[in-house]
Amino acid sequence: MQIYINGEYFDKEDAKISVFDHGLLYGDGVFEGIRVYNRKVFKCREHLERLYESAKSIDLKIPLGIEELEADMLETVRRSELDEAYIRLVVTRGEGCLGINPYTCGIPQIIIIVDKIALYHPDFYKKGLSLITVATQRNLPEAVNPRIKSLNYLNNILAKIEAVNAGVEEAIMLNSFGLVSECAGDNIFAIRKGLLMTPSISMGVLEGITRNEVIRLARAKGIEVRQLVMTRHDLFIADECFLTGTGAEIVPVIKIDGRTIGDGKPGPVTRGLMEDYHRLTREEGTPVPRD
Ligand code: PMP
Protein backbone atom coordinates (compact mmCIF):
# COMPACT_ATOMS: atom_id res chain seq x y z
CA MET A 1 0.00 0.00 0.00
CA GLN A 2 1.30 3.44 -0.97
CA ILE A 3 0.01 6.41 0.95
CA TYR A 4 0.09 9.89 -0.51
CA ILE A 5 1.10 12.82 1.66
CA ASN A 6 1.48 16.20 -0.04
CA GLY A 7 2.73 14.90 -3.35
CA GLU A 8 4.95 12.11 -2.01
CA TYR A 9 4.22 8.40 -1.69
CA PHE A 10 5.09 6.39 1.40
CA ASP A 11 4.77 2.81 2.55
CA LYS A 12 2.18 2.39 5.30
CA GLU A 13 4.82 2.20 8.08
CA ASP A 14 6.52 5.40 6.88
CA ALA A 15 3.36 7.48 6.25
CA LYS A 16 3.53 9.89 9.19
CA ILE A 17 2.46 13.41 10.01
CA SER A 18 3.40 15.77 12.84
CA VAL A 19 1.87 15.37 16.32
CA PHE A 20 1.43 19.17 16.15
CA ASP A 21 -0.95 18.83 13.21
CA HIS A 22 -4.25 20.47 14.17
CA GLY A 23 -6.05 17.64 12.42
CA LEU A 24 -4.87 15.47 15.31
CA LEU A 25 -4.90 18.08 18.08
CA TYR A 26 -8.35 19.50 17.31
CA GLY A 27 -9.98 17.47 14.54
CA ASP A 28 -9.39 20.54 12.40
CA GLY A 29 -9.65 19.39 8.80
CA VAL A 30 -11.98 17.89 6.22
CA PHE A 31 -12.27 14.57 4.45
CA GLU A 32 -14.07 12.43 1.91
CA GLY A 33 -14.72 8.71 1.60
CA ILE A 34 -14.89 7.68 -2.07
CA ARG A 35 -15.38 4.33 -3.81
CA VAL A 36 -13.59 2.77 -6.72
CA TYR A 37 -15.69 0.26 -8.63
CA ASN A 38 -14.43 -1.63 -11.61
CA ARG A 39 -11.28 0.55 -11.73
CA LYS A 40 -13.36 3.72 -11.95
CA VAL A 41 -13.74 6.40 -9.25
CA PHE A 42 -17.45 6.73 -8.54
CA LYS A 43 -18.84 10.27 -8.25
CA CYS A 44 -15.28 11.61 -8.31
CA ARG A 45 -16.16 15.24 -9.05
CA GLU A 46 -19.03 15.32 -6.55
CA HIS A 47 -16.74 14.18 -3.75
CA LEU A 48 -13.98 16.61 -4.70
CA GLU A 49 -16.44 19.48 -4.89
CA ARG A 50 -17.86 18.65 -1.47
CA LEU A 51 -14.31 18.49 -0.07
CA TYR A 52 -13.53 21.97 -1.42
CA GLU A 53 -16.85 23.28 -0.07
CA SER A 54 -16.19 21.83 3.38
CA ALA A 55 -12.69 23.36 3.28
CA LYS A 56 -14.04 26.74 2.18
CA SER A 57 -16.54 26.73 5.00
CA ILE A 58 -13.80 26.28 7.61
CA ASP A 59 -11.41 28.68 5.80
CA LEU A 60 -8.94 25.93 4.97
CA LYS A 61 -7.05 26.57 1.75
CA ILE A 62 -6.31 23.30 -0.02
CA PRO A 63 -2.87 23.82 -1.55
CA LEU A 64 -3.83 22.12 -4.84
CA GLY A 65 -6.45 22.93 -7.44
CA ILE A 66 -9.30 20.47 -7.93
CA GLU A 67 -7.83 19.08 -11.22
CA GLU A 68 -4.40 18.52 -9.66
CA LEU A 69 -5.90 16.84 -6.63
CA GLU A 70 -8.03 14.63 -8.86
CA ALA A 71 -4.94 13.61 -10.85
CA ASP A 72 -3.01 12.80 -7.65
CA MET A 73 -5.93 10.79 -6.31
CA LEU A 74 -6.20 8.78 -9.53
CA GLU A 75 -2.45 8.15 -9.42
CA THR A 76 -2.71 6.91 -5.82
CA VAL A 77 -5.48 4.52 -6.88
CA ARG A 78 -3.37 3.35 -9.83
CA ARG A 79 -0.47 2.59 -7.47
CA SER A 80 -2.77 0.62 -5.16
CA GLU A 81 -3.39 -1.90 -7.97
CA LEU A 82 -6.92 -2.34 -6.61
CA ASP A 83 -9.88 -2.42 -9.00
CA GLU A 84 -12.41 -2.26 -6.13
CA ALA A 85 -11.36 0.10 -3.35
CA TYR A 86 -12.19 2.81 -0.87
CA ILE A 87 -10.33 6.12 -0.98
CA ARG A 88 -9.91 8.18 2.17
CA LEU A 89 -9.01 11.71 1.12
CA VAL A 90 -8.06 13.89 4.09
CA VAL A 91 -6.94 17.50 4.34
CA THR A 92 -5.73 18.56 7.76
CA ARG A 93 -5.08 22.11 8.92
CA GLY A 94 -1.38 21.29 9.13
CA GLU A 95 1.30 21.71 11.76
CA GLY A 96 0.71 24.49 14.26
CA CYS A 97 1.36 25.31 17.89
CA LEU A 98 -0.53 24.29 21.04
CA GLY A 99 -3.46 26.65 20.73
CA ILE A 100 -6.54 26.41 18.54
CA ASN A 101 -5.74 29.37 16.28
CA PRO A 102 -5.76 27.77 12.81
CA TYR A 103 -3.87 30.70 11.34
CA THR A 104 -0.72 29.62 13.21
CA CYS A 105 -0.58 26.47 11.09
CA GLY A 106 1.70 25.89 8.14
CA ILE A 107 0.74 24.06 4.97
CA PRO A 108 -2.38 21.89 5.10
CA GLN A 109 -1.56 18.20 4.80
CA ILE A 110 -3.24 16.29 1.99
CA ILE A 111 -3.40 12.58 2.71
CA ILE A 112 -4.77 9.92 0.36
CA ILE A 113 -5.21 6.33 1.51
CA VAL A 114 -6.54 3.65 -0.84
CA ASP A 115 -7.66 0.43 0.78
CA LYS A 116 -10.46 -2.14 0.84
CA ILE A 117 -13.69 -1.63 2.78
CA ALA A 118 -16.63 -3.76 3.90
CA LEU A 119 -18.76 -1.54 6.10
CA TYR A 120 -21.61 -3.95 6.89
CA HIS A 121 -21.64 -7.74 6.79
CA PRO A 122 -23.15 -9.02 3.49
CA ASP A 123 -26.05 -10.63 5.47
CA PHE A 124 -27.40 -7.19 6.34
CA TYR A 125 -27.96 -6.44 2.63
CA LYS A 126 -30.16 -9.54 2.38
CA LYS A 127 -31.89 -9.44 5.78
CA GLY A 128 -31.76 -5.78 6.79
CA LEU A 129 -30.45 -3.84 9.78
CA SER A 130 -31.99 -3.12 13.17
CA LEU A 131 -31.56 0.44 14.40
CA ILE A 132 -32.17 2.38 17.56
CA THR A 133 -32.69 6.09 18.16
CA VAL A 134 -29.96 7.41 20.42
CA ALA A 135 -29.91 10.16 23.03
CA THR A 136 -26.99 11.98 21.41
CA GLN A 137 -28.47 14.72 19.23
CA ARG A 138 -27.04 15.61 15.85
CA ASN A 139 -24.89 18.74 15.88
CA LEU A 140 -26.89 21.94 15.62
CA PRO A 141 -26.34 23.40 12.13
CA GLU A 142 -25.84 26.77 13.84
CA ALA A 143 -22.99 25.28 15.90
CA VAL A 144 -21.13 22.78 13.70
CA ASN A 145 -23.01 22.38 10.44
CA PRO A 146 -23.34 18.67 9.55
CA ARG A 147 -22.91 19.66 5.90
CA ILE A 148 -19.22 20.21 6.65
CA LYS A 149 -17.57 16.81 6.37
CA SER A 150 -14.96 17.62 8.98
CA LEU A 151 -12.45 15.48 10.83
CA ASN A 152 -14.35 16.22 14.02
CA TYR A 153 -16.64 13.18 14.14
CA LEU A 154 -17.13 13.02 17.89
CA ASN A 155 -20.85 13.77 17.62
CA ASN A 156 -21.28 10.73 15.37
CA ILE A 157 -18.91 8.59 17.43
CA LEU A 158 -20.95 9.27 20.58
CA ALA A 159 -24.05 8.08 18.71
CA LYS A 160 -22.22 5.02 17.41
CA ILE A 161 -21.11 4.12 20.94
CA GLU A 162 -24.75 4.06 22.03
CA ALA A 163 -25.77 1.89 19.07
CA VAL A 164 -22.94 -0.61 19.46
CA ASN A 165 -23.55 -0.89 23.21
CA ALA A 166 -27.21 -1.60 22.47
CA GLY A 167 -26.15 -4.38 20.08
CA VAL A 168 -27.08 -2.70 16.79
CA GLU A 169 -25.00 -1.45 13.87
CA GLU A 170 -26.30 2.07 13.39
CA ALA A 171 -27.91 4.89 15.35
CA ILE A 172 -30.72 7.20 14.31
CA MET A 173 -29.88 10.72 15.43
CA LEU A 174 -32.52 13.37 16.05
CA ASN A 175 -31.92 17.10 15.83
CA SER A 176 -32.50 19.54 18.69
CA PHE A 177 -36.25 19.62 17.82
CA GLY A 178 -36.53 15.86 18.22
CA LEU A 179 -36.90 15.41 14.45
CA VAL A 180 -35.11 12.72 12.48
CA SER A 181 -31.83 13.90 10.95
CA GLU A 182 -29.63 11.01 9.88
CA CYS A 183 -27.56 8.11 11.17
CA ALA A 184 -24.05 8.25 12.62
CA GLY A 185 -22.50 7.57 9.22
CA ASP A 186 -25.38 7.26 6.75
CA ASN A 187 -28.45 9.13 5.50
CA ILE A 188 -31.89 7.64 6.12
CA PHE A 189 -34.90 7.10 3.82
CA ALA A 190 -38.43 5.76 4.38
CA ILE A 191 -41.10 4.63 1.93
CA ARG A 192 -44.82 4.80 2.64
CA LYS A 193 -47.58 4.23 0.13
CA GLY A 194 -45.12 4.63 -2.73
CA LEU A 195 -43.69 7.96 -1.52
CA LEU A 196 -39.95 8.04 -0.85
CA MET A 197 -39.06 10.39 2.01
CA THR A 198 -35.82 11.62 3.53
CA PRO A 199 -35.13 14.41 6.03
CA SER A 200 -34.38 17.69 4.28
CA ILE A 201 -30.89 19.17 4.55
CA SER A 202 -32.26 21.83 6.93
CA MET A 203 -32.90 19.06 9.50
CA GLY A 204 -29.12 19.04 10.06
CA VAL A 205 -27.74 16.31 7.82
CA LEU A 206 -24.73 15.74 5.65
CA GLU A 207 -25.80 16.18 2.04
CA GLY A 208 -24.82 12.65 1.14
CA ILE A 209 -23.65 11.98 -2.39
CA THR A 210 -25.35 8.57 -2.27
CA ARG A 211 -28.50 10.29 -0.95
CA ASN A 212 -28.53 12.64 -3.94
CA GLU A 213 -27.96 9.78 -6.36
CA VAL A 214 -30.75 7.67 -4.82
CA ILE A 215 -33.15 10.62 -5.11
CA ARG A 216 -32.20 10.93 -8.78
CA LEU A 217 -32.53 7.18 -9.43
CA ALA A 218 -35.92 7.02 -7.70
CA ARG A 219 -37.29 9.98 -9.67
CA ALA A 220 -35.97 8.45 -12.90
CA LYS A 221 -38.14 5.40 -12.28
CA GLY A 222 -41.20 7.48 -11.52
CA ILE A 223 -41.12 7.31 -7.72
CA GLU A 224 -42.24 10.48 -5.97
CA VAL A 225 -39.53 11.77 -3.64
CA ARG A 226 -39.89 14.38 -0.91
CA GLN A 227 -37.28 15.93 1.35
CA LEU A 228 -39.19 16.94 4.43
CA VAL A 229 -39.57 17.07 8.19
CA MET A 230 -39.67 13.53 9.59
CA THR A 231 -40.55 12.26 13.02
CA ARG A 232 -39.81 8.85 14.51
CA HIS A 233 -43.51 8.10 13.97
CA ASP A 234 -42.94 8.45 10.20
CA LEU A 235 -40.23 5.82 10.45
CA PHE A 236 -42.27 3.46 12.64
CA ILE A 237 -45.23 3.45 10.21
CA ALA A 238 -43.09 3.21 7.07
CA ASP A 239 -43.52 0.29 4.65
CA GLU A 240 -39.78 0.25 4.00
CA CYS A 241 -36.68 1.96 5.28
CA PHE A 242 -33.06 2.05 4.14
CA LEU A 243 -29.78 3.85 4.72
CA THR A 244 -27.42 5.32 2.16
CA GLY A 245 -23.72 6.13 2.19
CA THR A 246 -20.59 5.72 0.13
CA GLY A 247 -19.36 2.88 2.32
CA ALA A 248 -22.81 1.40 3.07
CA GLU A 249 -24.25 1.94 -0.44
CA ILE A 250 -27.96 1.12 0.13
CA VAL A 251 -28.69 -1.08 3.13
CA PRO A 252 -32.24 -2.07 4.12
CA VAL A 253 -33.58 -1.47 7.64
CA ILE A 254 -36.14 -3.89 9.10
CA LYS A 255 -36.41 -2.84 12.74
CA ILE A 256 -36.34 0.54 14.53
CA ASP A 257 -36.56 0.85 18.31
CA GLY A 258 -38.17 -2.60 18.50
CA ARG A 259 -40.83 -1.81 15.86
CA THR A 260 -40.82 -4.05 12.79
CA ILE A 261 -40.72 -2.02 9.57
CA GLY A 262 -43.20 -3.25 6.97
CA ASP A 263 -43.22 -7.04 6.98
CA GLY A 264 -39.75 -7.25 8.50
CA LYS A 265 -38.02 -7.98 5.19
CA PRO A 266 -36.25 -5.65 2.74
CA GLY A 267 -39.07 -4.29 0.56
CA PRO A 268 -39.46 -4.12 -3.24
CA VAL A 269 -38.70 -0.40 -3.63
CA THR A 270 -35.51 -0.77 -1.60
CA ARG A 271 -34.44 -3.85 -3.53
CA GLY A 272 -35.15 -2.12 -6.86
CA LEU A 273 -33.05 0.90 -5.89
CA MET A 274 -30.25 -1.39 -4.64
CA GLU A 275 -30.17 -3.05 -8.06
CA ASP A 276 -30.19 0.29 -9.92
CA TYR A 277 -27.45 1.68 -7.71
CA HIS A 278 -25.32 -1.42 -8.13
CA ARG A 279 -25.71 -1.23 -11.92
CA LEU A 280 -24.71 2.44 -11.91
CA THR A 281 -21.56 1.76 -9.87
CA ARG A 282 -20.42 -0.76 -12.51
CA GLU A 283 -21.12 1.63 -15.40
CA GLU A 284 -20.21 5.15 -14.29
CA GLY A 285 -17.06 6.70 -12.93
CA THR A 286 -13.76 8.40 -13.71
CA PRO A 287 -11.34 5.82 -15.12
CA VAL A 288 -8.10 5.15 -13.26
CA PRO A 289 -5.17 5.47 -15.69
CA ARG A 290 -3.49 2.27 -16.85
CA ASP A 291 0.22 1.74 -16.16
N1 PMP B 1 -24.13 11.10 6.98
C1 PMP B 1 -22.97 11.04 7.62
C2 PMP B 1 -22.89 11.56 9.00
C3 PMP B 1 -21.83 10.47 7.02
O1 PMP B 1 -20.67 10.40 7.66
C4 PMP B 1 -21.94 9.97 5.69
C5 PMP B 1 -20.74 9.40 4.98
N2 PMP B 1 -20.26 8.26 5.61
C6 PMP B 1 -23.20 10.04 5.06
C7 PMP B 1 -24.27 10.64 5.72
C8 PMP B 1 -23.38 9.54 3.66
O2 PMP B 1 -22.75 10.43 2.76
P1 PMP B 1 -22.20 9.93 1.36
O3 PMP B 1 -23.34 9.29 0.66
O4 PMP B 1 -21.74 11.16 0.68
O5 PMP B 1 -21.10 8.96 1.64
Side-chain angles (χ1 to χ4, degrees):
M1 184 194 291
Q2 289 241 291
I3 293 164
Y4 171 103
I5 306 177
N6 278 11
E8 286 184 65
Y9 294 89
F10 300 90
D11 290 335
K12 189 176 171 183
E13 333 31 269
D14 301 322
K16 298 197 170 90
I17 61 158
S18 166
V19 293
F20 285 92
D21 193 305
H22 279 205
L24 172 71
L25 291 176
Y26 300 113
D28 186 356
V30 294
F31 78 101
E32 281 295 321
I34 310 167
R35 292 288 282 263
V36 180
Y37 295 105
N38 205 13
R39 222 185 145 81
K40 293 195 290 288
V41 179
F42 190 61
K43 301 282 160 204
C44 187
R45 264 302 150 127
E46 287 84 344
H47 282 284
L48 286 168
E49 280 169 11
R50 188 172 64 184
L51 182 85
Y52 279 80
E53 284 171 12
S54 294
K56 180 81 197 269
S57 188
I58 68 165
D59 202 17
L60 170 62
K61 289 179 188 66
I62 300 179
L64 289 182
I66 195 161
E67 269 87 21
E68 290 168 289
L69 184 53
E70 180 180 273
D72 287 0
M73 188 167 83
L74 292 170
E75 171 60 14
T76 315
V77 180
R78 190 192 66 77
R79 286 176 185 238
S80 77
E81 295 177 359
L82 294 170
D83 291 349
E84 309 288 320
Y86 177 84
I87 308 167
R88 176 55 57 92
L89 171 57
V90 181
V91 186
T92 73
R93 185 72 70 176
E95 192 176 326
C97 53
L98 295 177
I100 64 164
N101 185 353
Y103 301 110
T104 65
C105 296
I107 310 155
Q109 300 289 297
I110 304 176
I111 301 161
I112 308 171
I113 307 165
V114 180
D115 203 355
K116 294 195 178 126
I117 192 174
L119 203 62
Y120 295 119
H121 192 277
D123 283 354
F124 289 123
Y125 292 87
K126 290 189 209 111
K127 295 186 186 144
L129 287 176
S130 293
L131 307 181
I132 58 157
T133 312
V134 295
T136 305
Q137 287 178 356
R138 192 70 178 103
N139 279 332
L140 261 182
E142 296 76 18
V144 181
N145 197 316
R147 289 181 71 188
I148 304 167
K149 199 161 167 61
S150 87
L151 292 181
N152 199 318
Y153 249 54
L154 201 52
N155 182 224
N156 314 64
I157 291 165
L158 292 173
K160 192 80 171 182
I161 286 171
E162 289 186 66
V164 172
N165 286 332
V168 298
E169 300 283 320
E170 250 293 15
I172 297 172
M173 302 180 79
L174 306 177
N175 65 18
S176 60
F177 298 102
L179 300 165
V180 177
S181 62
E182 60 177 335
C183 291
D186 302 305
N187 292 112
I188 190 162
F189 284 82
I191 298 141
R192 183 166 150 81
K193 297 188 175 159
L195 173 70
L196 182 60
M197 299 168 272
T198 192
S200 58
I201 299 300
S202 59
M203 293 297 103
V205 306
L206 178 75
E207 189 177 350
I209 286 162
T210 321
R211 173 188 183 277
N212 287 348
E213 193 50 44
V214 164
I215 292 172
R216 203 190 59 76
L217 282 172
R219 286 192 173 135
K221 60 202 286 183
I223 299 171
E224 191 187 344
V225 186
R226 280 200 216 141
Q227 301 177 51
L228 32 69
V229 172
M230 286 179 73
T231 63
R232 289 170 74 214
H233 177 71
D234 296 310
L235 295 178
F236 296 155
I237 64 166
D239 302 323
E240 300 181 33
C241 178
F242 62 82
L243 308 184
T244 64
T246 297
E249 301 173 319
I250 301 176
V251 57
V253 173
I254 45 119
K255 200 171 248 192
I256 298 174
D257 296 330
R259 280 78 153 179
T260 299
I261 304 303
D263 63 0
K265 295 194 190 87
V269 179
T270 307
R271 283 188 277 114
L273 287 168
M274 286 169 77
E275 269 170 36
D276 292 354
Y277 188 77
H278 180 74
R279 194 175 316 116
L280 197 72
T281 62
R282 309 318 298 171
E283 290 167 358
E284 269 194 5
T286 307
V288 175
R290 294 273 162 198
D291 304 326

